[in-house]
């Protein structure tokens, strides 16, 4: 299934990670994940990891230029090109 088959992303020119659900022979779009400070060049979604219990999804953005550190660092500071970032999403998917 291509991402364009899922309506309502509102994410033009920004990469998103699509979460799909497979039920028997049907594949349906469930949701998409987008970086809180999305930029086209960040390559968000290049790698995705899912916890064993399925409640946490980690999405890489290797070209994110943020100089912030730690959890919820300063997302407005883009002074470190290619620093990279990982975005963690928690919930029931």
């Amino acid at each position: 299934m291509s991402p364009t088959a899922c309506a309502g992303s509102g994410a033009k020119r920004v990469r998103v990670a699509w979460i799909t659900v497979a039920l028997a022979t049907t594949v349906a779009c469930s949701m998409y994940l987008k970086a809180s400070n999305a930029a086209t060049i960040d390559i968000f979604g290049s790698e995705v990891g899912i916890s064993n219990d399925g409640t946490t999804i980690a999405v890489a953005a290797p070209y994110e230029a943020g100089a912030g550190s730690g959890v919820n660092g300063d997302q407005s500071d883009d002074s470190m090109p290619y620093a990279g970032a990982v975005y963690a999403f928690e919930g029931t998917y």
Side-chain angles (χ1 to χ4, degrees):
M1 171 189 284
S2 70
T4 56
C6 302
S9 74
K12 296 179 181 174
R13 296 186 182 166
V14 174
R15 292 182 65 141
V16 297
W18 293 92
I19 307 302
T20 58
V21 177
L23 302 171
T25 59
T26 305
V27 176
C29 180
S30 175
M31 64 185 294
Y32 70 95
L33 302 174
K34 184 171 114 176
S36 54
N37 59 337
T40 305
I41 196 163
D42 293 346
I43 311 191
F44 178 86
S46 61
E47 307 241 0
V48 176
I50 302 173
S51 66
N52 287 336
D53 64 3
T55 61
T56 304
I57 299 174
V59 183
Y63 292 173
E64 163 56 33
S69 63
V71 176
N72 295 324
D74 182 2
Q75 294 184 2
S76 65
D77 183 353
D78 278 342
S79 64
M80 288 187 77
Y82 311 110
V86 174
Y87 297 82
F89 300 88
E90 292 184 298
T92 304
Y93 303 100

